[in-house]
Amino acid sequence: MTDRPLTLMAVHAHPDDEATGTGGVLARYAAEGIRTVLVTCTDGGCGDGPGGVKPGDPGHDPAAVASMRRQELEASCEVLKVSDLETLDYADSGMMGWPSNDAPGSFWQTPVEEGAARLAELMRHYRPDVVVTYDENGFYGHPDHIQAHRITMAALEMTELTPKVYWTTMPRSGMQRFGEIMREFHPDMPEPDPAEAAAMAEIGLPDDEITTWVDTTAFSGQKFDALAAHASQGENIFFLKMGKERFGELMGMETFVRVKDATGAAVPENDLFAGLR
């Protein structure tokens, strides 16, 4: 037996990702006395600048955006009661196909072994019992999400410390509800072209393939406030337009696929720490 607290480590790509995909579990497990460690891989410099100025437009300063987003990230962590924040501070690579993908020093251009070695050091320090990151497609194909997945899985191989590993996902039924709510708030939204619709249909998983359903409804207000802390990116955070009540209805359940387990806990499960306490 050990006095070391149970520890959750979430590895995310950008400031604000921690709130969107795992804000509920970070808040819930912090409230349960579990140590919560957030690793954010990039500086978010390809986000919107003041006044909504877009990357590549005149007046967009990636260094200034990164500084602003670091402050927002710290505010979000305070809302979610994250125990420890670690930032790798690689340059944001932008969306797939952007010129920033090829920029020297971008996360997408960083050798996986280099990023994994840095993350492995953090894993050895914190010795997480549960690690959460994205699937191999980064959930929706963002290069930095894909790279976060790659370095996380490589770091886990280097350390062999973690009993339970999860990838974030969404049930297809939830994606359908999300689409309906999007149309409710944007009735004039054009129908996606067939290729885009087909790509959207592949996001997430059939409900019966999801191993882990964690009810975080009681913490949906914190999750909403954590997203709101990323005010500079508000134009891109659709969820904030819902208001807290609707947000809680849609975002109160966080879902995962368990990809590694040393506990023998049965699935489906409703707790990332099932078998550990």
Side-chain angles (χ1 to χ4, degrees):
M1 298 297 290
T2 175
D3 292 331
R4 184 181 63 83
L6 285 172
T7 300
L8 166 67
M9 175 180 282
V11 183
H12 282 291
H14 311 97
D16 77 28
D17 290 333
E18 81 289 338
T20 306
T22 55
V25 291
L26 287 169
R28 170 179 162 168
Y29 290 123
E32 293 179 7
I34 288 171
R35 185 178 199 176
T36 52
V37 180
L38 170 64
V39 181
T40 301
C41 296
T42 80
D43 60 10
C46 285
D48 288 357
V53 61
K54 304 297 181 185
D57 287 350
H60 187 277
D61 180 350
V65 171
S67 176
M68 174 177 60
R69 297 195 72 185
R70 173 58 187 252
Q71 294 175 35
E72 293 174 341
L73 176 61
E74 291 172 354
S76 171
C77 287
E78 187 171 342
V79 169
L80 297 173
K81 309 301 181 188
V82 169
S83 308
D84 300 271
L85 170 63
E86 299 282 354
T87 55
L88 300 184
D89 286 326
Y90 289 108
D92 190 340
S93 309
M95 300 297 286
M96 191 67 81
W98 287 13
S100 48
N101 294 175
D102 300 322
S106 72
F107 191 36
W108 188 236
Q109 290 299 315
T110 299
V112 169
E113 296 77 11
E114 177 191 320
R118 293 181 62 195
L119 183 57
E121 284 186 24
L122 295 175
M123 289 180 176
R124 293 186 186 104
H125 174 73
Y126 289 107
R127 300 185 69 84
D129 302 282
V130 172
V131 170
V132 175
T133 192
Y134 316 101
D135 63 20
E136 58 268 269
N137 191 45
F139 185 60
Y140 68 99
H142 192 297
D144 288 330
H145 290 224
I146 294 170
Q147 190 75 330
H149 162 86
R150 290 173 176 171
I151 74 162
T152 301
M153 301 313 290
L156 287 164
E157 287 188 14
M158 291 176 182
T159 60
E160 299 183 346
L161 291 173
T162 306
K164 303 189 83 177
V165 181
Y166 294 88
W167 296 342
T168 58
T169 191
M170 278 280 287
R172 294 269 166 82
S173 61
M175 291 299 295
Q176 183 177 349
R177 287 198 302 275
F178 177 65
E180 291 166 356
I181 290 174
M182 284 277 286
R183 285 187 287 274
E184 176 187 329
F185 278 85
H186 299 286
D188 56 347
M189 186 172 66
E191 289 294 323
D193 64 50
E196 185 180 342
M200 286 293 291
E202 292 300 312
I203 294 177
L205 288 173
D207 292 31
D208 61 359
E209 292 183 20
I210 291 172
T211 64
T212 311
W213 303 70
V214 184
D215 186 352
T216 62
T217 306
F219 304 93
S220 60
Q222 276 176 266
K223 182 172 178 172
F224 184 93
D225 290 342
L227 274 171
H230 296 280
S232 69
Q233 308 306 305
E235 181 183 329
N236 301 318
I237 302 176
F238 166 77
F239 304 108
L240 296 176
K241 299 177 175 66
M242 297 180 187
K244 278 190 176 180
E245 184 174 348
R246 293 298 302 280
F247 178 85
E249 292 171 7
L250 182 68
M251 303 293 286
M253 183 73 72
E254 291 186 349
T255 50
F256 306 86
V257 174
R258 193 174 82 188
V259 294
K260 180 180 177 184
D261 172 63
T263 70
V267 293
E269 59 188 3
N270 59 12
D271 179 10
L272 296 178
F273 288 85
L276 291 169
R277 55 180 179 172

